[in-house]
Amino acid sequence: MNESERDLLARLWEEHMRMPFPPNMRGREIEIEGEDMVYLDASIAIGVSSSLSEPFDVKRRDALLRCLAAVEKVLPSIDDEGGAIERYERLREMAALAVESGNDGPR
Protein backbone atom coordinates (compact mmCIF):
# COMPACT_ATOMS: atom_id res chain seq x y z
CA MET A 1 0.00 0.00 0.00
CA ASN A 2 1.46 3.34 -0.92
CA GLU A 3 1.47 6.39 1.32
CA SER A 4 -1.70 7.92 -0.14
CA GLU A 5 -3.60 4.64 0.34
CA ARG A 6 -2.39 4.47 3.97
CA ASP A 7 -3.48 8.06 4.49
CA LEU A 8 -6.88 7.29 2.97
CA LEU A 9 -7.30 4.23 5.19
CA ALA A 10 -6.30 6.21 8.28
CA ARG A 11 -8.76 8.99 7.38
CA LEU A 12 -11.58 6.51 6.76
CA TRP A 13 -10.76 4.82 10.07
CA GLU A 14 -10.95 8.14 11.92
CA GLU A 15 -14.31 8.90 10.28
CA HIS A 16 -15.56 5.44 11.19
CA MET A 17 -14.56 5.89 14.82
CA ARG A 18 -16.54 9.16 14.99
CA MET A 19 -19.63 7.68 13.35
CA PRO A 20 -22.16 6.32 15.84
CA PHE A 21 -23.40 2.79 15.37
CA PRO A 22 -26.79 2.93 13.59
CA PRO A 23 -29.50 3.23 16.26
CA ASN A 24 -31.73 0.67 14.55
CA MET A 25 -29.01 -1.95 15.01
CA ARG A 26 -28.12 -1.27 18.64
CA GLY A 27 -28.90 -3.61 21.47
CA ARG A 28 -30.17 -6.52 19.44
CA GLU A 29 -28.98 -9.19 17.10
CA ILE A 30 -29.37 -8.08 13.53
CA GLU A 31 -28.85 -10.65 10.83
CA ILE A 32 -29.00 -9.86 7.13
CA GLU A 33 -28.50 -12.53 4.49
CA GLY A 34 -27.30 -14.86 7.25
CA GLU A 35 -24.62 -12.42 8.48
CA ASP A 36 -24.53 -11.03 12.02
CA MET A 37 -24.14 -7.32 11.32
CA VAL A 38 -22.61 -6.37 14.68
CA TYR A 39 -20.05 -9.17 14.40
CA LEU A 40 -19.27 -8.17 10.80
CA ASP A 41 -18.76 -4.54 11.83
CA ALA A 42 -16.48 -5.51 14.72
CA SER A 43 -14.49 -8.03 12.67
CA ILE A 44 -13.74 -5.51 9.95
CA ALA A 45 -12.89 -2.84 12.52
CA ILE A 46 -10.40 -5.15 14.25
CA GLY A 47 -8.75 -6.07 10.96
CA VAL A 48 -8.49 -2.49 9.77
CA SER A 49 -7.19 -1.22 13.09
CA SER A 50 -4.56 -3.96 13.13
CA SER A 51 -3.49 -3.22 9.57
CA LEU A 52 -2.80 0.39 10.53
CA SER A 53 -0.53 -0.45 13.45
CA GLU A 54 1.26 -3.76 12.93
CA PRO A 55 2.34 -6.27 10.30
CA PHE A 56 -0.63 -7.68 8.45
CA ASP A 57 -0.35 -11.47 8.43
CA VAL A 58 -2.07 -13.99 6.19
CA LYS A 59 -4.57 -14.98 8.90
CA ARG A 60 -5.82 -11.39 9.29
CA ARG A 61 -5.86 -10.87 5.54
CA ASP A 62 -7.93 -14.03 5.02
CA ALA A 63 -10.34 -12.99 7.78
CA LEU A 64 -10.80 -9.59 6.14
CA LEU A 65 -11.35 -11.23 2.76
CA ARG A 66 -14.18 -13.28 4.28
CA CYS A 67 -15.63 -10.12 5.83
CA LEU A 68 -15.31 -8.27 2.54
CA ALA A 69 -17.29 -11.02 0.77
CA ALA A 70 -19.92 -10.91 3.53
CA VAL A 71 -20.34 -7.13 3.40
CA GLU A 72 -20.64 -7.26 -0.40
CA LYS A 73 -23.40 -9.84 0.02
CA VAL A 74 -25.41 -7.85 2.58
CA LEU A 75 -25.07 -4.30 1.24
CA PRO A 76 -28.01 -4.55 -1.21
CA SER A 77 -30.29 -5.70 1.64
CA ILE A 78 -29.38 -3.09 4.25
CA ASP A 79 -32.09 -0.67 5.32
CA ASP A 80 -30.58 2.81 5.32
CA GLU A 81 -32.26 3.83 8.56
CA GLY A 82 -29.74 5.53 10.85
CA GLY A 83 -26.92 5.67 8.29
CA ALA A 84 -26.35 1.92 8.11
CA ILE A 85 -25.55 1.87 4.39
CA GLU A 86 -22.94 4.61 4.75
CA ARG A 87 -21.35 2.74 7.66
CA TYR A 88 -21.13 -0.59 5.87
CA GLU A 89 -19.95 1.00 2.61
CA ARG A 90 -17.14 2.64 4.59
CA LEU A 91 -16.33 -0.70 6.24
CA ARG A 92 -16.19 -2.30 2.79
CA GLU A 93 -13.83 0.37 1.49
CA MET A 94 -11.57 0.10 4.53
CA ALA A 95 -11.49 -3.71 4.33
CA ALA A 96 -10.57 -3.57 0.64
CA LEU A 97 -7.75 -1.10 1.29
CA ALA A 98 -6.42 -3.14 4.20
CA VAL A 99 -6.50 -6.36 2.14
CA GLU A 100 -4.61 -4.61 -0.65
CA SER A 101 -1.90 -3.70 1.84
CA GLY A 102 -1.00 -7.36 2.20
CA ASN A 103 1.96 -7.75 4.49
CA ASP A 104 3.67 -4.38 4.16
CA GLY A 105 4.60 -4.23 7.82
CA PRO A 106 3.94 -1.63 10.49
CA ARG A 107 2.53 1.73 9.61
Side-chain angles (χ1 to χ4, degrees), residues 13-65:
W13 176 248
E14 288 175 16
E15 289 173 6
H16 176 76
M17 294 302 294
R18 286 192 305 269
M19 176 185 267
F21 195 75
N24 62 318
M25 293 187 168
R26 282 190 210 133
R28 58 186 180 154
E29 288 185 33
I30 299 290
E31 201 169 283
I32 298 175
E33 300 290 329
E35 299 293 337
D36 180 321
M37 299 306 289
V38 174
Y39 180 79
L40 183 58
D41 184 296
S43 296
I44 293 173
I46 289 166
V48 168
S49 175
S50 295
S51 76
L52 287 167
S53 62
E54 54 192 48
F56 199 58
D57 60 27
V58 172
K59 184 178 175 181
R60 286 190 188 132
R61 185 175 185 274
D62 289 348
L64 263 183
L65 281 171

